[in-house]
Amino acid sequence: MARYIDEILQPGEKVLYSTNAHWMFYLPAIGAWIVVFGLLVLSRTTMNDNLVMLCLATSAVIAVVGLYWTVRAWFHRLTTETDVTNRRVVHKTGFIRRRTFEMALDKVESVDVNQTIMGRLLNYGDVTILGVGEGKETISTIAEPVAFRNAITAR
């Protein structure tokens, strides 16, 4: 699957920085898989047949949910692109229903980064771009938001 930015580059335009949705979208799936593993270990360590069946049935249900969350997070990361070129900022989400945001670099007035404590620890956050006459756009939960801001503001 070709990247969106590669399809829309203008002559003489180069990609300077690319980032993506942060891997933290996998955290619910990781939590589910840890619970599945714990239930499978518990089912092997108990002698009560009813408890074994309950652990196996519960782990199967949680595994299905975990698989759904894993695929959903993977697909979100696959279909989200955020790039800075030498001329503009481009953000694309979605596959069938696509949403894009583009702003010329010379129209960028300010770039704000919002990170929670967990965001600081795991290096993700929200970036809000305020454009002159272009409005305000927030890009949520991207990896390395400070480096992204620096790529926009460094000219």
Side-chain angles (χ1 to χ4, degrees), residues 31-90:
W33 291 114
I34 289 171
V35 171
V36 167
F37 179 74
L39 286 170
L40 290 175
V41 168
L42 180 63
S43 73
R44 300 294 291 173
T45 59
T46 187
M47 297 295 176
N48 185 337
D49 288 339
N50 291 334
L51 187 57
V52 169
M53 291 306 292
L54 180 65
C55 287
L56 291 176
T58 305
S59 66
V61 170
I62 295 173
V64 169
V65 171
L67 180 62
Y68 169 74
W69 286 342
T70 301
V71 170
R72 192 172 110 194
W74 170 79
F75 195 71
H76 174 72
R77 284 182 49 106
L78 178 72
T79 60
T80 301
E81 297 178 30
T82 307
D83 301 288
V84 178
T85 72
N86 56 336
R87 296 183 185 166
R88 58 190 166 158
V89 178
V90 178

Short mmCIF file of all heavy atoms in Angstrom, two decimals, residues 31-90:
data_model
loop_
_atom_site.label_atom_id
_atom_site.label_comp_id
_atom_site.label_asym_id
_atom_site.label_seq_id
_atom_site.Cartn_x
_atom_site.Cartn_y
_atom_site.Cartn_z
N GLY A 31 -2.86 -5.46 27.41
CA GLY A 31 -3.50 -5.82 28.68
C GLY A 31 -4.37 -7.06 28.55
O GLY A 31 -4.35 -7.94 29.42
N ALA A 32 -5.12 -7.15 27.47
CA ALA A 32 -5.98 -8.32 27.25
C ALA A 32 -5.14 -9.58 27.10
O ALA A 32 -5.47 -10.64 27.67
CB ALA A 32 -6.85 -8.11 26.01
N TRP A 33 -4.04 -9.50 26.35
CA TRP A 33 -3.20 -10.69 26.15
C TRP A 33 -2.53 -11.11 27.45
O TRP A 33 -2.32 -12.31 27.68
CB TRP A 33 -2.18 -10.45 25.05
CG TRP A 33 -2.81 -10.37 23.70
CD1 TRP A 33 -2.87 -9.28 22.87
CD2 TRP A 33 -3.53 -11.40 23.02
NE1 TRP A 33 -3.57 -9.58 21.73
CE2 TRP A 33 -3.99 -10.87 21.78
CE3 TRP A 33 -3.84 -12.72 23.32
CZ2 TRP A 33 -4.73 -11.62 20.88
CZ3 TRP A 33 -4.58 -13.47 22.42
CH2 TRP A 33 -5.02 -12.92 21.21
N ILE A 34 -2.19 -10.17 28.31
CA ILE A 34 -1.61 -10.51 29.62
C ILE A 34 -2.65 -11.25 30.47
O ILE A 34 -2.34 -12.25 31.13
CB ILE A 34 -1.09 -9.24 30.33
CG1 ILE A 34 0.15 -8.73 29.62
CG2 ILE A 34 -0.80 -9.52 31.81
CD1 ILE A 34 0.64 -7.37 30.09
N VAL A 35 -3.90 -10.79 30.44
CA VAL A 35 -4.96 -11.48 31.18
C VAL A 35 -5.18 -12.89 30.62
O VAL A 35 -5.34 -13.86 31.38
CB VAL A 35 -6.27 -10.65 31.14
CG1 VAL A 35 -7.44 -11.45 31.69
CG2 VAL A 35 -6.10 -9.35 31.92
N VAL A 36 -5.17 -13.04 29.30
CA VAL A 36 -5.32 -14.37 28.68
C VAL A 36 -4.21 -15.29 29.15
O VAL A 36 -4.46 -16.44 29.55
CB VAL A 36 -5.34 -14.26 27.14
CG1 VAL A 36 -5.17 -15.62 26.48
CG2 VAL A 36 -6.61 -13.60 26.66
N PHE A 37 -2.98 -14.79 29.12
CA PHE A 37 -1.84 -15.60 29.56
C PHE A 37 -2.00 -16.00 31.03
O PHE A 37 -1.78 -17.16 31.40
CB PHE A 37 -0.53 -14.83 29.35
CG PHE A 37 0.69 -15.57 29.80
CD1 PHE A 37 1.17 -16.64 29.06
CD2 PHE A 37 1.34 -15.22 30.96
CE1 PHE A 37 2.29 -17.34 29.47
CE2 PHE A 37 2.46 -15.91 31.39
CZ PHE A 37 2.93 -16.98 30.65
N GLY A 38 -2.42 -15.05 31.87
CA GLY A 38 -2.62 -15.35 33.29
C GLY A 38 -3.69 -16.40 33.51
O GLY A 38 -3.54 -17.30 34.36
N LEU A 39 -4.79 -16.30 32.76
CA LEU A 39 -5.85 -17.30 32.89
C LEU A 39 -5.40 -18.67 32.41
O LEU A 39 -5.79 -19.70 33.00
CB LEU A 39 -7.09 -16.84 32.12
CG LEU A 39 -7.88 -15.70 32.76
CD1 LEU A 39 -8.93 -15.17 31.79
CD2 LEU A 39 -8.52 -16.15 34.06
N LEU A 40 -4.60 -18.71 31.35
CA LEU A 40 -4.10 -20.01 30.88
C LEU A 40 -3.15 -20.63 31.90
O LEU A 40 -3.19 -21.86 32.13
CB LEU A 40 -3.42 -19.84 29.53
CG LEU A 40 -4.36 -19.53 28.35
CD1 LEU A 40 -3.56 -19.28 27.09
CD2 LEU A 40 -5.37 -20.64 28.15
N VAL A 41 -2.32 -19.82 32.53
CA VAL A 41 -1.43 -20.33 33.57
C VAL A 41 -2.25 -20.83 34.75
O VAL A 41 -1.98 -21.91 35.30
CB VAL A 41 -0.42 -19.24 34.01
CG1 VAL A 41 0.32 -19.64 35.28
CG2 VAL A 41 0.57 -18.96 32.89
N LEU A 42 -3.27 -20.07 35.13
CA LEU A 42 -4.14 -20.48 36.24
C LEU A 42 -4.85 -21.79 35.92
O LEU A 42 -4.99 -22.67 36.80
CB LEU A 42 -5.16 -19.38 36.55
CG LEU A 42 -6.13 -19.66 37.68
CD1 LEU A 42 -5.38 -19.81 39.01
CD2 LEU A 42 -7.16 -18.55 37.78
N SER A 43 -5.29 -21.96 34.69
CA SER A 43 -5.98 -23.20 34.32
C SER A 43 -5.06 -24.41 34.40
O SER A 43 -5.52 -25.53 34.63
CB SER A 43 -6.59 -23.09 32.92
OG SER A 43 -5.58 -23.15 31.94
N ARG A 44 -3.78 -24.21 34.21
CA ARG A 44 -2.82 -25.33 34.27
C ARG A 44 -2.40 -25.65 35.70
O ARG A 44 -1.89 -26.74 35.96
CB ARG A 44 -1.56 -25.00 33.45
CG ARG A 44 -1.80 -24.74 31.97
CD ARG A 44 -2.26 -25.95 31.24
NE ARG A 44 -1.17 -26.90 31.17
CZ ARG A 44 -1.27 -28.13 30.72
NH1 ARG A 44 -2.41 -28.56 30.29
NH2 ARG A 44 -0.24 -28.93 30.68
N THR A 45 -2.59 -24.69 36.62
CA THR A 45 -2.12 -24.91 37.98
C THR A 45 -3.22 -25.37 38.93
O THR A 45 -2.94 -25.71 40.07
CB THR A 45 -1.50 -23.62 38.55
OG1 THR A 45 -2.48 -22.58 38.52
CG2 THR A 45 -0.28 -23.21 37.75
N THR A 46 -4.46 -25.38 38.50
CA THR A 46 -5.55 -25.79 39.38
C THR A 46 -6.01 -27.20 39.06
O THR A 46 -5.84 -27.68 37.93
CB THR A 46 -6.73 -24.80 39.27
OG1 THR A 46 -7.69 -25.13 40.25
CG2 THR A 46 -7.35 -24.82 37.90
N MET A 47 -6.58 -27.86 40.05
CA MET A 47 -7.06 -29.23 39.88
C MET A 47 -8.58 -29.28 39.73
O MET A 47 -9.12 -30.31 39.35
CB MET A 47 -6.66 -30.09 41.08
CG MET A 47 -5.18 -30.22 41.24
SD MET A 47 -4.52 -31.10 39.82
CE MET A 47 -2.80 -31.02 40.16
N ASN A 48 -9.26 -28.20 39.99
CA ASN A 48 -10.72 -28.16 39.93
C ASN A 48 -11.15 -28.05 38.46
O ASN A 48 -10.85 -27.06 37.79
CB ASN A 48 -11.23 -26.97 40.74
CG ASN A 48 -12.73 -26.91 40.82
OD1 ASN A 48 -13.43 -27.47 39.98
ND2 ASN A 48 -13.23 -26.22 41.84
N ASP A 49 -11.86 -29.05 37.97
CA ASP A 49 -12.27 -29.09 36.56
C ASP A 49 -13.17 -27.93 36.19
O ASP A 49 -13.08 -27.39 35.08
CB ASP A 49 -12.96 -30.41 36.23
CG ASP A 49 -12.00 -31.59 36.19
OD1 ASP A 49 -10.78 -31.33 36.02
OD2 ASP A 49 -12.45 -32.73 36.30
N ASN A 50 -14.06 -27.54 37.08
CA ASN A 50 -14.94 -26.41 36.80
C ASN A 50 -14.15 -25.11 36.65
O ASN A 50 -14.42 -24.29 35.77
CB ASN A 50 -16.00 -26.25 37.90
CG ASN A 50 -17.01 -27.39 37.88
OD1 ASN A 50 -17.23 -28.00 36.83
ND2 ASN A 50 -17.58 -27.68 39.03
N LEU A 51 -13.16 -24.94 37.51
CA LEU A 51 -12.32 -23.74 37.44
C LEU A 51 -11.46 -23.73 36.17
O LEU A 51 -11.27 -22.69 35.55
CB LEU A 51 -11.45 -23.62 38.70
CG LEU A 51 -10.64 -22.34 38.84
CD1 LEU A 51 -11.56 -21.12 38.82
CD2 LEU A 51 -9.83 -22.36 40.12
N VAL A 52 -10.99 -24.92 35.79
CA VAL A 52 -10.22 -25.03 34.55
C VAL A 52 -11.07 -24.62 33.36
O VAL A 52 -10.64 -23.82 32.51
CB VAL A 52 -9.67 -26.47 34.37
CG1 VAL A 52 -9.10 -26.65 32.98
CG2 VAL A 52 -8.62 -26.77 35.42
N MET A 53 -12.29 -25.13 33.29
CA MET A 53 -13.18 -24.80 32.17
C MET A 53 -13.54 -23.31 32.18
O MET A 53 -13.60 -22.68 31.11
CB MET A 53 -14.45 -25.65 32.22
CG MET A 53 -14.20 -27.11 31.92
SD MET A 53 -13.35 -27.39 30.35
CE MET A 53 -14.59 -26.89 29.21
N LEU A 54 -13.76 -22.76 33.36
CA LEU A 54 -14.07 -21.34 33.46
C LEU A 54 -12.89 -20.49 32.98
O LEU A 54 -13.08 -19.52 32.23
CB LEU A 54 -14.45 -20.97 34.91
CG LEU A 54 -14.78 -19.51 35.15
CD1 LEU A 54 -16.04 -19.12 34.38
CD2 LEU A 54 -14.94 -19.25 36.64
N CYS A 55 -11.69 -20.85 33.40
CA CYS A 55 -10.49 -20.11 32.96
C CYS A 55 -10.30 -20.21 31.45
O CYS A 55 -9.99 -19.21 30.80
CB CYS A 55 -9.25 -20.65 33.67
SG CYS A 55 -9.13 -20.19 35.40
N LEU A 56 -10.48 -21.41 30.89
CA LEU A 56 -10.31 -21.58 29.45
C LEU A 56 -11.37 -20.83 28.66
O LEU A 56 -11.07 -20.18 27.64
CB LEU A 56 -10.32 -23.06 29.09
CG LEU A 56 -9.12 -23.87 29.58
CD1 LEU A 56 -9.29 -25.33 29.26
CD2 LEU A 56 -7.83 -23.32 29.00
N ALA A 57 -12.61 -20.88 29.11
CA ALA A 57 -13.69 -20.17 28.41
C ALA A 57 -13.49 -18.66 28.49
O ALA A 57 -13.62 -17.94 27.49
CB ALA A 57 -15.04 -20.56 28.99
N THR A 58 -13.14 -18.18 29.67
CA THR A 58 -12.91 -16.74 29.85
C THR A 58 -11.71 -16.28 29.02
O THR A 58 -11.74 -15.22 28.39
CB THR A 58 -12.69 -16.41 31.33
OG1 THR A 58 -13.80 -16.89 32.08
CG2 THR A 58 -12.55 -14.92 31.55
N SER A 59 -10.65 -17.08 29.02
CA SER A 59 -9.47 -16.69 28.23
C SER A 59 -9.78 -16.69 26.73
O SER A 59 -9.26 -15.85 26.00
CB SER A 59 -8.28 -17.61 28.54
OG SER A 59 -8.53 -18.92 28.10
N ALA A 60 -10.65 -17.59 26.29
CA ALA A 60 -11.04 -17.60 24.86
C ALA A 60 -11.80 -16.33 24.51
O ALA A 60 -11.55 -15.72 23.46
CB ALA A 60 -11.87 -18.84 24.54
N VAL A 61 -12.72 -15.92 25.36
CA VAL A 61 -13.49 -14.70 25.10
C VAL A 61 -12.58 -13.48 25.10
O VAL A 61 -12.63 -12.63 24.21
CB VAL A 61 -14.63 -14.55 26.14
CG1 VAL A 61 -15.27 -13.18 26.04
CG2 VAL A 61 -15.66 -15.64 25.95
N ILE A 62 -11.70 -13.41 26.09
CA ILE A 62 -10.78 -12.26 26.18
C ILE A 62 -9.79 -12.27 25.02
O ILE A 62 -9.39 -11.22 24.52
CB ILE A 62 -10.08 -12.23 27.55
CG1 ILE A 62 -11.12 -11.99 28.65
CG2 ILE A 62 -9.01 -11.15 27.60
CD1 ILE A 62 -10.59 -12.11 30.05
N ALA A 63 -9.40 -13.47 24.56
CA ALA A 63 -8.49 -13.56 23.41
C ALA A 63 -9.15 -13.00 22.15
O ALA A 63 -8.49 -12.32 21.35
CB ALA A 63 -8.05 -15.00 23.20
N VAL A 64 -10.43 -13.26 21.97
CA VAL A 64 -11.14 -12.71 20.81
C VAL A 64 -11.17 -11.19 20.90
O VAL A 64 -10.91 -10.48 19.92
CB VAL A 64 -12.57 -13.30 20.70
CG1 VAL A 64 -13.41 -12.55 19.68
CG2 VAL A 64 -12.50 -14.77 20.36
N VAL A 65 -11.47 -10.66 22.09
CA VAL A 65 -11.47 -9.21 22.29
C VAL A 65 -10.07 -8.65 22.07
O VAL A 65 -9.89 -7.62 21.42
CB VAL A 65 -12.01 -8.86 23.69
CG1 VAL A 65 -11.82 -7.39 24.00
CG2 VAL A 65 -13.47 -9.25 23.81
N GLY A 66 -9.07 -9.33 22.62
CA GLY A 66 -7.68 -8.89 22.44
C GLY A 66 -7.25 -8.89 20.99
O GLY A 66 -6.54 -8.00 20.53
N LEU A 67 -7.69 -9.90 20.23
CA LEU A 67 -7.38 -9.94 18.80
C LEU A 67 -8.03 -8.77 18.08
O LEU A 67 -7.40 -8.12 17.24
CB LEU A 67 -7.85 -11.27 18.21
CG LEU A 67 -7.58 -11.46 16.72
CD1 LEU A 67 -6.08 -11.44 16.44
CD2 LEU A 67 -8.19 -12.77 16.24
N TYR A 68 -9.29 -8.47 18.42
CA TYR A 68 -9.97 -7.33 17.81
C TYR A 68 -9.22 -6.04 18.11
O TYR A 68 -8.99 -5.22 17.22
CB TYR A 68 -11.42 -7.25 18.32
CG TYR A 68 -12.10 -5.96 17.97
CD1 TYR A 68 -12.52 -5.72 16.67
CD2 TYR A 68 -12.29 -4.97 18.92
CE1 TYR A 68 -13.13 -4.52 16.32
CE2 TYR A 68 -12.90 -3.77 18.59
CZ TYR A 68 -13.32 -3.55 17.30
OH TYR A 68 -13.91 -2.36 16.97
N TRP A 69 -8.84 -5.82 19.39
CA TRP A 69 -8.11 -4.60 19.77
C TRP A 69 -6.75 -4.53 19.09
O TRP A 69 -6.29 -3.45 18.71
CB TRP A 69 -7.95 -4.52 21.27
CG TRP A 69 -9.21 -4.16 22.00
CD1 TRP A 69 -10.34 -3.58 21.47
CD2 TRP A 69 -9.47 -4.36 23.38
NE1 TRP A 69 -11.28 -3.41 22.45
CE2 TRP A 69 -10.78 -3.87 23.64
CE3 TRP A 69 -8.75 -4.89 24.44
CZ2 TRP A 69 -11.35 -3.90 24.90
CZ3 TRP A 69 -9.32 -4.91 25.69
CH2 TRP A 69 -10.60 -4.43 25.93
N THR A 70 -6.10 -5.67 18.91
CA THR A 70 -4.79 -5.69 18.25
C THR A 70 -4.93 -5.29 16.78
O THR A 70 -4.18 -4.44 16.28
CB THR A 70 -4.16 -7.10 18.34
OG1 THR A 70 -4.02 -7.45 19.71
CG2 THR A 70 -2.81 -7.14 17.65
N VAL A 71 -5.89 -5.87 16.09
CA VAL A 71 -6.11 -5.55 14.67
C VAL A 71 -6.54 -4.10 14.52
O VAL A 71 -6.08 -3.40 13.61
CB VAL A 71 -7.13 -6.52 14.04
CG1 VAL A 71 -7.55 -6.07 12.66
CG2 VAL A 71 -6.55 -7.93 14.00
N ARG A 72 -7.41 -3.63 15.40
CA ARG A 72 -7.87 -2.25 15.33
C ARG A 72 -6.72 -1.25 15.52
O ARG A 72 -6.59 -0.28 14.77
CB ARG A 72 -8.95 -2.02 16.38
CG ARG A 72 -9.67 -0.71 16.20
CD ARG A 72 -10.83 -0.63 17.14
NE ARG A 72 -10.50 0.37 18.13
CZ ARG A 72 -11.11 0.55 19.26
NH1 ARG A 72 -12.10 -0.24 19.60
NH2 ARG A 72 -10.76 1.50 20.07
N ALA A 73 -5.85 -1.51 16.50
CA ALA A 73 -4.71 -0.63 16.73
C ALA A 73 -3.73 -0.68 15.55
O ALA A 73 -3.22 0.35 15.11
CB ALA A 73 -3.99 -1.03 18.02
N TRP A 74 -3.47 -1.88 15.04
CA TRP A 74 -2.58 -2.02 13.89
C TRP A 74 -3.13 -1.26 12.69
O TRP A 74 -2.40 -0.55 12.00
CB TRP A 74 -2.41 -3.51 13.56
CG TRP A 74 -1.72 -3.75 12.27
CD1 TRP A 74 -0.37 -3.69 12.03
CD2 TRP A 74 -2.34 -4.06 11.02
NE1 TRP A 74 -0.13 -3.96 10.70
CE2 TRP A 74 -1.32 -4.18 10.06
CE3 TRP A 74 -3.66 -4.25 10.63
CZ2 TRP A 74 -1.58 -4.49 8.73
CZ3 TRP A 74 -3.92 -4.55 9.30
CH2 TRP A 74 -2.88 -4.67 8.39
N PHE A 75 -4.43 -1.41 12.42
CA PHE A 75 -5.03 -0.75 11.27
C PHE A 75 -5.03 0.77 11.44
O PHE A 75 -4.80 1.51 10.48
CB PHE A 75 -6.46 -1.26 11.05
CG PHE A 75 -7.01 -0.92 9.71
CD1 PHE A 75 -6.52 -1.54 8.57
CD2 PHE A 75 -8.01 0.01 9.57
CE1 PHE A 75 -7.02 -1.23 7.31
CE2 PHE A 75 -8.52 0.33 8.32
CZ PHE A 75 -8.02 -0.29 7.19
N HIS A 76 -5.25 1.24 12.67
CA HIS A 76 -5.20 2.68 12.92
C HIS A 76 -3.80 3.22 12.63
O HIS A 76 -3.64 4.24 11.97
CB HIS A 76 -5.59 3.00 14.37
CG HIS A 76 -5.43 4.43 14.73
ND1 HIS A 76 -6.27 5.42 14.25
CD2 HIS A 76 -4.51 5.06 15.50
CE1 HIS A 76 -5.87 6.59 14.72
NE2 HIS A 76 -4.81 6.39 15.47
N ARG A 77 -2.79 2.54 13.12
CA ARG A 77 -1.41 2.98 12.85
C ARG A 77 -1.06 2.88 11.37
O ARG A 77 -0.35 3.72 10.84
CB ARG A 77 -0.42 2.17 13.69
CG ARG A 77 -0.40 2.62 15.14
CD ARG A 77 0.62 1.84 15.94
NE ARG A 77 1.92 1.80 15.29
CZ ARG A 77 2.98 2.49 15.67
NH1 ARG A 77 2.91 3.29 16.68
NH2 ARG A 77 4.12 2.37 15.04
N LEU A 78 -1.57 1.85 10.70
CA LEU A 78 -1.30 1.68 9.27
C LEU A 78 -1.91 2.79 8.44
O LEU A 78 -1.32 3.25 7.46
CB LEU A 78 -1.82 0.32 8.80
CG LEU A 78 -1.65 0.00 7.32
CD1 LEU A 78 -0.18 -0.29 7.03
CD2 LEU A 78 -2.51 -1.19 6.93
N THR A 79 -3.09 3.25 8.82
CA THR A 79 -3.82 4.22 8.00
C THR A 79 -3.68 5.66 8.49
O THR A 79 -4.40 6.53 8.01
CB THR A 79 -5.32 3.85 7.95
OG1 THR A 79 -5.85 3.86 9.27
CG2 THR A 79 -5.52 2.50 7.30
N THR A 80 -2.77 5.92 9.41
CA THR A 80 -2.53 7.27 9.89
C THR A 80 -1.13 7.70 9.49
O THR A 80 -0.16 6.99 9.75
CB THR A 80 -2.67 7.34 11.43
OG1 THR A 80 -3.98 6.92 11.78
CG2 THR A 80 -2.43 8.74 11.94
N GLU A 81 -1.04 8.85 8.83
CA GLU A 81 0.25 9.40 8.42
C GLU A 81 0.31 10.87 8.82
O GLU A 81 -0.66 11.59 8.65
CB GLU A 81 0.42 9.32 6.90
CG GLU A 81 0.44 7.93 6.34
CD GLU A 81 0.57 7.96 4.82
OE1 GLU A 81 1.18 8.91 4.28
OE2 GLU A 81 0.04 7.05 4.19
N THR A 82 1.44 11.28 9.31
CA THR A 82 1.67 12.68 9.64
C THR A 82 3.06 13.04 9.14
O THR A 82 4.04 12.43 9.56
CB THR A 82 1.56 12.91 11.16
OG1 THR A 82 0.31 12.38 11.62
CG2 THR A 82 1.62 14.38 11.50
N ASP A 83 3.11 14.02 8.25
CA ASP A 83 4.37 14.36 7.60
C ASP A 83 4.58 15.87 7.55
O ASP A 83 3.61 16.63 7.49
CB ASP A 83 4.40 13.84 6.16
CG ASP A 83 4.22 12.33 6.10
OD1 ASP A 83 5.16 11.62 6.48
OD2 ASP A 83 3.14 11.88 5.69
N VAL A 84 5.85 16.26 7.53
CA VAL A 84 6.23 17.65 7.29
C VAL A 84 7.11 17.64 6.05
O VAL A 84 8.09 16.90 5.98
CB VAL A 84 7.00 18.25 8.49
CG1 VAL A 84 7.43 19.67 8.19
CG2 VAL A 84 6.18 18.18 9.76
N THR A 85 6.72 18.42 5.06
CA THR A 85 7.55 18.57 3.86
C THR A 85 8.22 19.94 3.93
O THR A 85 8.02 20.69 4.87
CB THR A 85 6.72 18.46 2.57
OG1 THR A 85 5.91 19.62 2.42
CG2 THR A 85 5.84 17.21 2.57
N ASN A 86 8.99 20.25 2.91
CA ASN A 86 9.62 21.57 2.89
C ASN A 86 8.61 22.68 2.56
O ASN A 86 8.96 23.85 2.61
CB ASN A 86 10.78 21.60 1.89
CG ASN A 86 10.36 21.20 0.49
OD1 ASN A 86 9.38 20.50 0.29
ND2 ASN A 86 11.14 21.63 -0.49
N ARG A 87 7.34 22.30 2.30
CA ARG A 87 6.32 23.30 1.97
C ARG A 87 5.08 23.27 2.87
O ARG A 87 4.39 24.27 2.99
CB ARG A 87 5.85 23.12 0.53
CG ARG A 87 6.93 23.36 -0.48
CD ARG A 87 6.39 23.23 -1.86
NE ARG A 87 7.47 23.34 -2.83
CZ ARG A 87 7.36 23.01 -4.08
NH1 ARG A 87 6.22 22.55 -4.56
NH2 ARG A 87 8.39 23.13 -4.90
N ARG A 88 4.77 22.12 3.46
CA ARG A 88 3.50 22.01 4.19
C ARG A 88 3.52 20.91 5.24
O ARG A 88 4.42 20.07 5.26
CB ARG A 88 2.36 21.78 3.21
CG ARG A 88 2.53 20.54 2.38
CD ARG A 88 1.51 20.45 1.27
NE ARG A 88 1.92 19.43 0.31
CZ ARG A 88 1.13 18.83 -0.52
NH1 ARG A 88 -0.16 19.14 -0.53
NH2 ARG A 88 1.57 17.94 -1.36
N VAL A 89 2.47 20.92 6.07
CA VAL A 89 2.21 19.87 7.04
C VAL A 89 1.03 19.07 6.50
O VAL A 89 0.03 19.65 6.08
CB VAL A 89 1.85 20.46 8.43
CG1 VAL A 89 1.54 19.35 9.41
CG2 VAL A 89 2.94 21.36 8.94
N VAL A 90 1.14 17.75 6.51
CA VAL A 90 0.09 16.88 5.97
C VAL A 90 -0.23 15.82 7.02
O VAL A 90 0.68 15.16 7.55
CB VAL A 90 0.54 16.18 4.66
CG1 VAL A 90 -0.53 15.26 4.14
CG2 VAL A 90 0.93 17.22 3.62
#
